Each structure stands twice: as C-alpha cells, then as structure tokens.
C-alpha cells in the first residue's frame, strides 16, 4: 500500500455510569472520521460517525475502535453512506473496525451502506470480540457501484469471537480482480447489494435459532455459539435494508 494516503482513527469507550446510564469516557477522532454523541432513548448511549470528507480513497487507512465495558449499552452508527473512491495515491484503501463487548454489555454496530465506486480498491476488516454474557447486533451492507456504473474492487472480511471462541470468519471479494465466480449463481447472482446481520445473545445458547430462508435472497443460519447470521443479496440498497430490518425484527 502507498503510504501517501490519509490516516484516521476514531475511538469510543462506553462505561456504566453507576446511575443506570452509560458514560463515554473516551470519544476521540481525527482526520476524516468524527464521532458525535447524539440523543438516545433508554439507558444506553448513541454515537454517530460523521465523515468530514470523501473517502476512503486509494492509499487511505481508516480505523474505528469501539469498546463497551461491563453493564454499558452503546449504539454506534454513521450519518451517511461510506463511499470508496479512487485516489491519486496508488494501492488499496483500508477500513478496519474493531469491536469489543464486555460481559453484560450490549453493542449495536449499525453503519450506513458502503458503496464501492468504479475504480476504487478497498479492503474492509471487521473484528468483534464478544464476552459470554454480552449482546451484539452487527450489520454490514455493501453496494457495488453507484447508479449506472461498474463497481470497484471490494474485499470484506468479518470475524466474530464469543467468549474467545471463533464463531464466524468469512471473506467476500467482488469487482475487478476478485476470484472468478463472485457474480455467478454461487455468488451474488447478478445482484449489486449484499449484506450481513450478526446477532449474538446469551439465550441463543439454550435455544439456537433454526436455519431457514427468510425471503427471496435472504437466509438465516445458526452459528456455532450463541449467535445467528443473516446473509442477504438484493438488486439495490433499499431492498437490502428492508430484508435485514425484517430479519432483525424476526430475531427480536
């Protein structure tokens, strides 16, 4: 990767404030990434990730770290879609997300869509470490190309561990240079929007969800732990969001 790109790091720590609410002792960001606390309902905290400029561009490296400590609740989202664009610096851009959820804590990671514009090259990694009694709702949505354009190259890897045990490790590569078949019947099947929803809840250990098709293009699968995975493909971002919202409602 070319080192001429922009580096940006956003960090948030959520902590039980001892009064039935959630405090944010760490809320720090720089460069294109900005964190803003917004109004929340209930005892949890709500934070939005605001992009101060376009990106990531070629050669950029963005990182988001979120830790939810014991007893705290955090909802973390983004104010707008992330648009991966080609840049003057050669080489791929990187976007790394690191999530850490302690015992009896809860995190909702619900960013807006990631759009892979023509000519871009982005590698995304999302890693979640979830304690045995923690709860997690994680949604990822990727859109391949803007209206009427071909996609860039997008590689996305999602890893989830519960109580130190690996329950999910998957990688998806799309666009120019991706392995053959990514857009075929065993891949996206011509669709241009793809998403994942991971739900981790302690009660799933005693009553695992049953794997099944939820709708055309959406499937629910139990994971090897107190977790479930929904994978969906759709012709556009609107239909994809509807599928994942319906799945989340079904999972309670």
């Amino acid at each position: 990767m070319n080192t001429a790109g922009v580096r940006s790091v956003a960090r948030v720590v959520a902590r039980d404030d001892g009064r039935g609410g959630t405090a944010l002792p760490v809320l720090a960001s720089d460069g294109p990434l900005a964190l803003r606390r917004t109004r929340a309902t209930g005892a949890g905290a709500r934070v939005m990730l605001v992009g101060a400029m376009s990106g990531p561009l070629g050669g950029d490296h963005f990182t988001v770290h979120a830790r939810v400590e014991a007893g705290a609740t955090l909802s973390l989202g983004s104010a707008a879609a992330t648009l991966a664009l080609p840049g003057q610096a050669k080489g791929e851009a990187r976007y790394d997300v690191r999530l850490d959820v302690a015992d009896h804590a809860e995190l909702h990671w619900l960013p807006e869509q990631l759009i892979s514009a023509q000519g871009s090259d982005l590698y995304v990694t999302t890693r979640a470490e979830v304690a045995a009694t923690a709860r997690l709702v994680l949604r990822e949505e990727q859109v391949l190309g803007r209206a009427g354009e071909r996609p860039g190259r997008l590689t996305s890897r999602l890893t989830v561990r519960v109580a130190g045990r690996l329950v999910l490790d998957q990688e998806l590569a799309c666009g120019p240079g991706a392995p053959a078949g990514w857009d075929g019947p065993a891949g996206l099947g011509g669709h241009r929007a793809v998403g994942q929803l991971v739900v981790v809840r302690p009660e799933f250990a005693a009553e695992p969800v049953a794997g099944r098709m939820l709708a055309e293009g959406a499937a629910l699968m139990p994971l090897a732990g107190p977790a479930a995975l929904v994978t969906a493909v759709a012709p556009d971002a609107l239909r994809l969001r509807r599928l994942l919202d319906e799945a989340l409602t079904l999972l309670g």
Side-chain angles (χ1 to χ4, degrees):
M1 183 194 304
N2 192 311
T3 58
V6 174
R7 301 296 184 268
S8 185
V9 179
R11 298 180 184 274
V12 57
V13 175
R15 181 176 297 164
D16 185 349
D17 66 5
R19 303 187 302 274
T22 296
L24 299 175
V26 177
L27 191 67
S29 52
D30 59 22
L33 298 178
L35 293 172
R36 300 287 184 265
R37 183 166 190 169
T38 61
R39 186 182 301 275
T41 57
R46 186 168 184 261
V47 174
M48 299 299 290
L49 189 63
V50 180
M53 58 185 285
S54 296
L57 309 178
D60 291 353
H61 190 173
F62 294 178
T63 305
V64 176
H65 291 272
R67 173 169 173 76
V68 188
E69 298 183 352
T73 299
L74 174 65
S75 178
L76 181 58
S78 60
T82 297
L83 180 61
L85 294 166
Q88 293 183 346
K90 295 185 180 298
E92 70 178 13
R94 290 189 62 97
Y95 199 132
D96 298 323
V97 178
R98 303 292 180 260
L99 309 174
D100 188 355
V101 193
D103 276 310
H104 304 292
E106 183 168 350
L107 171 63
H108 290 212
W109 168 240
L110 301 171
E112 294 301 309
Q113 297 90 355
L114 169 62
I115 302 171
S116 174
Q118 185 172 5
S120 65
D121 185 358
L122 178 63
Y123 187 76
V124 182
T125 65
T126 302
R127 298 177 187 171
E129 296 281 348
V130 186
T133 58
R135 296 171 179 268
L136 171 70
V137 175
L138 183 157
R139 182 187 70 211
E140 289 191 340
E141 300 169 310
Q142 292 98 26
V143 179
L144 305 181
R146 293 168 291 190
E149 76 172 4
R150 298 176 61 84
R153 177 167 181 169
L154 175 63
T155 305
S156 175
R157 185 169 183 178
L158 173 59
T159 306
V160 180
R161 293 180 182 271
V162 180
R165 179 186 181 188
L166 184 66
V167 301
L168 178 65
D169 188 353
Q170 70 175 26
E171 183 171 284
L172 175 68
C174 305
W182 67 269
D183 201 22
L188 301 189
H191 292 95
R192 285 296 175 263
V194 57
Q196 297 76 230
L197 176 71
V198 178
V199 179
V200 180
R201 290 185 179 150
E203 54 266 35
F204 287 168
E207 297 183 12
V209 300
R212 60 190 184 277
M213 293 296 297
L214 299 178
E216 183 177 355
L220 169 64
M221 295 166 284
L223 299 177
L229 169 68
V230 176
T231 301
V233 294
D236 55 49
L238 183 62
R239 173 61 178 164
L240 178 66
R241 177 63 61 85
R242 186 178 300 120
L243 288 171
L244 295 180
D245 282 350
E246 290 172 355
L248 185 56
T249 299
L250 178 68
L251 290 169

